[in-house]
Amino acid sequence: MRKVIMGSMNQQLAYKLLAAFLVFTMLGSVFAYFFTGPRDDTTQETNTPDTDLGKYDPGLWTVNEPFYSISDSLKMTPPGAEVAYYVDLESMTPQMIQWTRSESTMIGGLIQEVDTKLYKSNATKLYYAGIREGNNNSLLLLSTMATPNNDFDYIVLPDTNILVRQEQDLFGMYNIMGTPAIFAQPQTAVNVLEIIYGQNKTNTSYDQYEGLISKVEPAPFQIVNSNITFARQFYFGIGIVNGSYERTTAYLDANSTVLRKLDQSKVNSTQKGFEQYQVNQSGNYTIVKIISPELFTVLNEETS
């Protein structure tokens, strides 16, 4: 059961928050006027005092959840994450930051969008999940930034101090200020708040990956994926150990081709420049840990 993060957030207030957010969802087109419609200074001051917030006000950034690994992030994610990325740029070497931000990674372009358009501040940690439940697809973006910024028009949800903005130029996505900031479709945003502030046990995407995640250590760059052909689930992580780069890959029910390739790769690992090359089995899980002083040596080693 998730604990309530803010000490003053009791069950009644949590229900008010969710009810207010649901009302906000249904009346999105009405509130959108205050975000994008024309208005003069008098109208803004008189009718929408909560949206004239000026620069960063830490008192309004009340969402506050652990955000130190992909495990923490999955615990805030509604069920159905097919793929999820987590990056902690503050814990990376300059070379690793450059690679993470480059076009060679899916997450690199997303970081650029967050920095230059969405929050106009350098991201320090970022998480992205693609979620599928039945025929419904959604996404969740969580992030922290070097200089928190809410110098936009936001609305404070009634009976709460949760700061929300509907992004009309981004298909009506919702932005909820906090640590981390939450960016998602309306219903997904509601589901995240239910997970964070709910008084009862709520299912999350962590539940589906718990077995896999329990086999690995947190790292500055992490991926989980269940939309693959070579295993039921796959994990990829890059970290720093004593100045060298450590890559961990983990598989749930890896197919025979992958297992054969892993065994073959281990045989000549020293010649390829690896300080360590371990392949271990734990029930249906296969965990591979390789270490090299060269980042691209561990990055270029085959995973499937």
Side-chain angles (χ1 to χ4, degrees), residues 241-253:
V241 176
N242 298 325
S244 291
Y245 293 96
E246 178 182 78
R247 191 194 81 183
T248 302
T249 51
Y251 310 77
L252 171 59
D253 291 336

Side-chain angles (χ1 to χ4, degrees), residues 153-297:
D153 289 336
Y154 281 87
I155 184 168
V156 180
L157 292 182
D159 298 318
T160 78
N161 48 2
I162 300 295
L163 209 62
V164 176
R165 168 179 171 139
Q166 186 173 26
E167 302 288 354
Q168 294 297 325
D169 294 336
L170 297 171
F171 308 102
M173 303 286 282
Y174 282 5
N175 230 325
I176 303 173
M177 293 294 92
T179 306
I182 301 166
F183 180 78
Q185 285 105 320
Q187 186 56 55
T188 300
V190 170
N191 293 341
V192 172
L193 291 177
E194 287 176 340
I195 291 169
I196 293 175
Y197 295 116
Q199 297 296 304
N200 300 313
K201 166 68 178 177
T202 304
N203 292 330
T204 69
S205 282
Y206 177 77
D207 300 332
Q208 73 191 72
Y209 289 104
E210 183 175 7
L212 188 71
I213 295 296
S214 67
K215 309 296 181 185
V216 301
E217 297 294 328
F221 187 99
Q222 297 181 286
I223 303 172
V224 292
N225 195 337
S226 60
N227 187 21
I228 48 175
T229 58
F230 53 85
R232 282 177 55 198
Q233 293 180 352
F234 174 66
Y235 168 88
F236 178 98
I238 301 283
I240 315 295
V241 176
N242 298 325
S244 291
Y245 293 96
E246 178 182 78
R247 191 194 81 183
T248 302
T249 51
Y251 310 77
L252 171 59
D253 291 336
N255 65 30
S256 57
T257 301
V258 170
L259 295 175
R260 184 170 60 254
K261 286 182 179 180
L262 292 174
D263 288 336
Q264 292 171 350
S265 297
K266 183 179 179 180
V267 172
N268 62 345
S269 60
T270 304
Q271 291 87 340
K272 291 188 290 184
F274 292 106
E275 299 172 348
Q276 179 178 314
Y277 205 116
Q278 296 181 350
V279 181
N280 298 311
Q281 293 290 142
S282 177
N284 293 336
Y285 294 93
T286 304
I287 302 94
V288 182
K289 187 172 293 186
I290 60 178
I291 298 177
S292 171
E294 300 298 329
L295 174 61
F296 287 97
T297 298

Side-chain angles (χ1 to χ4, degrees), residues 44-60:
Q44 182 175 356
E45 292 177 2
T46 304
N47 295 335
T48 58
D50 285 337
T51 65
D52 187 15
L53 299 172
K55 295 185 178 180
Y56 170 60
D57 181 354
L60 294 169

Side-chain angles (χ1 to χ4, degrees), residues 87-104:
V87 296
D88 179 355
L89 295 163
E90 294 179 305
S91 300
M92 295 180 178
T93 65
Q95 184 185 23
M96 194 171 172
I97 291 174
Q98 184 179 14
W99 169 73
T100 301
R101 287 182 172 275
S102 71
E103 294 181 359
S104 62

